[in-house]
Each structure stands twice: as structure tokens, then as C-alpha cells.
Amino acid sequence: MSRRLAKSVGITATGQFYPDRIVTNHDLAKMVDTSDEWIISRTGIKERHWVEPGVGSSDLGAEALQMALKNRGIAADELDAIIACTVTPDMLFPCTAALIQHKVGASKAFGFDLNAACSSFLFGLSAAASMVASGAYKRIAVVGCDVMTSITDKTDRNTIVLFGDGAGAVIVEEVEEGFGILDFEQKIDGSGAPYLCMPAGGSLKPATAATVAAKEHFIHQQGQEVYKRAVREMAEVSRLMLDRNALDPKDLVLFVPHQANNRIMEAAAKRLELPLDRMANNIMYFANTTSATIPTAMHQCLEAGRVKKGDHVVFAAFGAGFTWGGMLLKWAY
Ligand code: UT7
């Protein structure tokens, strides 16, 4: 059975922001034992953007949100809420949503952070849509923002090549009947926790000199386990979105997978029998920006004129937890 919202709710504008500094594979090859050839062939990544010291997720998120507000033609004080989706909050508290709220001047908004790793944006979007569909809120900003370089070990070739910094934002509102979010599915399986995590810095293992020395404040990943599960779950949940809404892969104008690895994305598209020109793909220039991959990839496809009103679009995400999910939209503008 589809998960239907009580009202037609959808995305009405998008925005994005990346820091200026571009780090190429060749730059990384000077820092760790890697090569442009290895990184391109294993991940599809050529370069990524990195923040300068002193820049936090809220800085990137506020910029992306400003663009989304401008594209929608509304002022920040017309927002009812801000959901900041991030695994790299500026601080553990206060929440990044509060910092973004202050930076953009969203004087009437409340807000909170949502962390479901690389599924954060998707889960945040469905939460915002459900809040609007309830009738209690009119207009919510969902901001996916991450400074992944703040939790990556710059001496670890296994992870340093994979991630980038960036932010994407969307405005969620009631839309014309029959348009917007048609269906979504979300999953969580905590047995996957050991495969992708940051072991210290939380309540279980607070920061000590020993945790810092053991590099436990960085991303730890068993890549192959994550890889296999990501392909399977993203393909299955996307297929579910099509099947239970009686759509054929050829009805899909755009597939927007979480951008973690080009091979994962292409394998998922292949399982969906979807031609690759129907897939959003920005990993080559931005790498894995965690919560920002889906909103930025969607924003770039809109800018390129790849989607028009009425087109069917599927979002799919997979991340630490494990968490994963899919969403089917009939584009509303
Ligand atoms: O967004 C959150 C979800 N995350 C993901 O979806 C990531 C999923 N996993 C992956 O994308 C891939 O598993 C990786 C890109 C992380 C790794 O690719 P792989 O094909 O699974 O490689 P591997 O882990 O099997 O490593 C193969 C070899 C190893 O060397 P040995 O042990 O065979 O001698 C690694 O040490 O490649 C080595 N290696 C590297 N070599 C050069 C790992 N990283 C690098 C590197 N440069 N940067």
C-alpha cells in the first residue's frame, strides 16, 4: 500500500551551495598513497569541494537556503520551520537548524536537526511533507548540509577520496492536487551500525586524548559491505515506488540516487532497467556530500532543464545505520 499524504505536498524551489576550494584527485595523490586512475575507476569521482577552516555546516546550509528562498520568491520570515539534515552539525548542540534560522533571519520559524546519515535529507523531506499535509504548517525548508571534511581522516586513503562538503535546500509546501510527493518508503536496520560509523565523540565514548589518538572521531567504513547493501536496497526501494504506483521504468524521467559511488548508482539504475541518461549524476565534481547529494543533484537537473512539471522523479538514498528509503514525486512546477 502506498504511503499517501493527506494533501498534495511537494517541493516548490531548490538551492545549493559549495565552498570555493576544489580538491582534485591529483591533489589527494600528494597527500595519501592513491591515484587519479584508482579513484575515477572505483568511484567516478574527479574532484570535490572542501571548506576552509572555520566554516561549518550551518554556513553552507544558510547559503543554500537563501538560494532556495530567492528561487521561490519568498522572504525567510515566511518559513514556518527549518529541518537541518546533517551528520556534521556545527556543534552537538545547539542544533544546526537554529544557527541557520539566525543566519537567514527566519524570524517565525522553529526547527530541529535530523540525522539519518546519507538518508537524512530523504527522511527530513518526508517529515516536512507530513507536517505540511497535517495542516499545522504551511511552508518548511529542508536543508541538507554537511562538512564531511570535519570527520574525515586526511591520512586515510580509504575514506579521504570519497567525500566532499556542500549543501542543498528545498522549500516544501502544498502544491496543485495530484502533484508533489506521491509515495515514499523509509527503512532502518541498526545491525548495520558497525560497518559505517564515527565511533567516538558521542555519549557512549566521549572525547578523550585516547579517542583522539586512536582516530575515533573520523569516519570508519567497511566499504564492500556498505557497497553491496546500498546497491540492493536503493534498487529495491526504487522498484517498489514504481510497482506500487503502477509505473514502468520508462515512465521515469529522472532517478536521483544518493551520490556515494558511481558504480553503486549505475548498478542500481541497471537493476531498475533505467537508461543512464535518466539518472542524476554529479558525483564526478562534488563526491559524496552525505545529506546534500539529493537536493543538489535535483537542483542541478532542474537548472539543466531535465525536469518539467508533471514528470515522474524517484529519489533513493542509503546510508549509515543502515538507513535507506525512496520517494516518488510528480514534479509540481
Ligand atoms: O554514503 C554512505 C554510504 N557509503 C557508500 O555507499 C560507500 C560504499 N563503498 C564503496 O563505495 C567502495 O567499497 C569503496 C569506494 C569505498 C572501495 O572500493 P572497493 O572496490 O570496494 O575497494 P576495496 O575496499 O575492496 O579495496 C581494494 C583495494 C584495497 O587494497 P588491498 O587490501 O586489496 O591491497 C584498498 O587498500 O584498494 C585499496 N584502496 C585504495 N587504493 C588506492 C582503498 N582506497 C584506495 C585509494 N587509492 N584511495
Side-chain angles (χ1 to χ4, degrees):
M1 208 182 71
S2 303
R3 288 189 199 280
R4 296 253 176 251
L5 294 166
K7 289 181 184 172
S8 293
V9 177
I11 292 170
T12 55
T14 61
Q16 69 170 28
F17 184 77
Y18 296 102
D20 288 341
R21 181 178 173 197
I22 294 172
V23 176
T24 66
N25 292 346
H26 297 290
D27 295 329
L28 292 180
K30 291 178 200 144
M31 296 166 61
V32 292
D33 180 16
T34 190
S35 66
D36 180 52
E37 194 279 327
W38 191 96
I39 303 170
I40 293 254
S41 64
R42 297 293 181 110
T43 71
I45 301 165
K46 212 170 125 189
E47 57 194 40
R48 70 288 287 145
H49 292 238
W50 282 10
V51 298
E52 299 295 342
V55 175
S57 293
S58 73
D59 295 309
L60 309 186
E63 294 280 356
L65 178 52
Q66 297 279 22
M67 185 190 282
L69 290 168
K70 188 162 174 258
N71 287 344
R72 180 69 182 105
I74 56 170
D77 64 6
E78 293 179 76
L79 289 174
D80 293 324
I82 297 171
I83 302 179
C85 307
T86 184
V87 298
T88 52
D90 287 28
M91 295 166 266
L92 217 47
F93 68 87
C95 63
T96 301
L99 306 175
I100 294 175
Q101 177 273 335
H102 184 59
K103 280 176 181 154
V104 303
S107 57
K108 300 195 180 85
F110 90 110
F112 55 88
D113 287 8
L114 188 153
N115 175 357
C118 297
S119 304
S120 300
F121 174 78
L122 199 69
F123 290 9
L125 180 55
S126 72
S130 303
M131 287 162 67
V132 172
S134 76
Y137 302 96
K138 195 166 168 240
R139 200 174 272 136
I140 300 179
V142 183
V143 184
C145 47
D146 268 305
V147 175
M148 295 308 290
T149 48
S150 65
I151 55 167
T152 1
D153 177 0
K154 294 197 172 64
T155 65
D156 175 16
R157 70 175 185 176
N158 290 292
T159 49
I160 188 65
V161 303
L162 302 175
F163 296 95
D165 302 332
V170 301
I171 309 295
V172 178
E173 297 172 86
E174 202 171 336
V175 295
E176 195 179 323
E177 199 173 339
F179 289 81
I181 296 165
L182 301 183
D183 194 6
F184 56 99
E185 192 61 64
Q186 302 170 112
K187 300 278 188 184
I188 194 160
D189 173 8
S191 71
Y195 299 111
L196 181 50
C197 63
M198 190 176 98
S203 56
L204 182 66
K205 221 182 218 195
T208 61
T211 61
V212 173
K215 300 191 169 193
E216 290 184 308
H217 298 273
F218 293 129
I219 298 166
H220 288 240
Q221 173 169 247
Q222 292 181 35
Q224 288 193 354
E225 286 306 318
V226 182
Y227 185 103
K228 280 184 272 184
R229 194 75 187 266
V231 172
R232 191 175 89 215
E233 303 295 6
M234 286 213 293
E236 274 182 19
V237 80
S238 305
R239 167 69 67 183
L240 182 72
M241 291 298 96
L242 297 178
D243 287 351
R244 72 185 186 191
N245 292 279
L247 290 169
D248 194 80
K250 69 175 178 342
D251 298 323
L252 206 56
V253 171
L254 190 68
F255 173 51
V256 189
H258 167 54
Q259 316 272 308
N261 182 325
N262 193 47
R263 285 154 60 214
I264 295 177
M265 291 150 57
E266 290 195 356
K270 197 171 165 203
R271 287 193 190 193
L272 274 177
E273 298 161 54
L274 202 70
L276 291 179
D277 62 1
R278 301 274 185 94
M279 184 172 79
N281 189 339
N282 70 7
I283 192 164
M284 183 178 273
Y285 300 107
F286 303 106
N288 181 352
T289 53
T290 302
S291 309
T293 63
I294 293 178
T296 54
M298 187 65 223
H299 175 80
Q300 289 157 28
C301 288
L302 287 163
E303 293 282 290
R306 287 175 66 182
V307 176
K308 60 180 189 322
K309 185 174 177 183
D311 285 347
H312 283 110
V313 176
V314 162
F315 293 165
F318 183 87
F322 294 131
T323 55
W324 68 100
M327 182 178 279
L328 171 68
L329 302 99
K330 189 170 178 184
W331 206 253
Y333 64 97

